[in-house]
Amino acid sequence: MPESIVTLEDFLAVGKQDHLKDAHELTHVLIQLSLAAKVISNSVRKASLSDILGASGNTNVHGEQVQKLDEYADTVIVEMLSKGGSVCGIASEESEELISIPKHYETGPYVICIDPLDGSSNIDVNISVGTIFSIRKKRSEGRDAQLTDVLRPGAEQCAAGYVHYGPSTMFVFTSGSGVNGFTLDPSIDEFVLSHPDLKMPSPGTNVYSVNEAYMRKWTAGQQKLVHQFHGGQDGSDSFSSRYVGSMVADFHRTILRGGIFMYPGTRDNPKGKLRLLYEVAPLGFVCEQAGGLASDGKQPVRNIHPEDLHQRIPVFLGSPHLIKLAEQYLARN
Ligand code: AHG
Ligand code: MN
Ligand code: MN
């Protein structure tokens, strides 16, 4: 294998980020997640050729139609982490309660929050989807993780990241010393370092990303902000709009190019749609480590203390100057 290739295993093994050197359990969890990502990627890539598309017929805790691939991805990740011996509990979008590790498995010091398959509505139309993960250290006593281990501010995450099942499959993570992106090379079935020390460009491109169909329901401040992006009164600062409808895809473009991704609240649903523990906090951690800001429209997401596993919050992720602009407009409501 040419000298230049650095696989995820190499990267983690040689402790490219010093603090990972002794945290072998943390690197083990990341390897397990990357293995699950390969398995899910294989299924995503041939979804239309197998019976894995469409709805499973079940609804989740949010009352949403669960897709077969949601359940499949959830099963793959939970089984992979459960037998890995480094995890003592899992909070999943697809499970109302905290998942404990079966008694016949060893457990370890980490608690994982996952969105197994992000962008479910895009699966059947072959548009990019993702997986999102957040890793925290257990603080409670005893074998199994408790709710108190996960209902903690995002600032306490040890690591976080996502898998982007796009034209290529990418594994992007941070463990607190910057962000590194790995692209799956199908010829060797390895995640290879392709985006070392990933940083959001500054000022970056003027791209805003939001579902404008909800505009009438937004607050006045949110409406004025997007109107400004449309070119405002003086037509200055005109932006382009991009919205995939998979948070991972919209976020990945934002950290590579700059811009702002928003999922604001509405007047009748001020908390919006996206979940703090397994969507907003992990991507917020990656965003800040890549030089961006992550806000709920008023404060940094990392400071927010979750009240329940599936708590929703408004989210603004991206270039610092645009996040600050959003907070200014929202404050004027
Ligand atoms: P999930 O498939 O895990 O439920 O996530 C879907 C989320 C997120 O990926 C995306 O940004 C958002 O839903 C899109 O929502 P709208 O269709 O309301 O724009
Ligand atoms: Mn999601
Ligand atoms: Mn999901």
Side-chain angles (χ1 to χ4, degrees), residues 168-186:
S168 59
T169 294
M170 281 195 67
F171 186 94
V172 182
F173 83 97
T174 182
S175 51
S177 304
V179 177
N180 288 281
F182 299 79
T183 298
L184 184 60
D185 179 339

Side-chain angles (χ1 to χ4, degrees), residues 228-248:
Q228 178 62 32
F229 291 152
H230 289 166
Q233 280 73 19
D234 57 4
S236 63
D237 282 350
S238 60
F239 283 59
S240 59
S241 166
R242 291 285 183 278
Y243 192 72
V244 177
S246 294
M247 185 183 192
V248 164

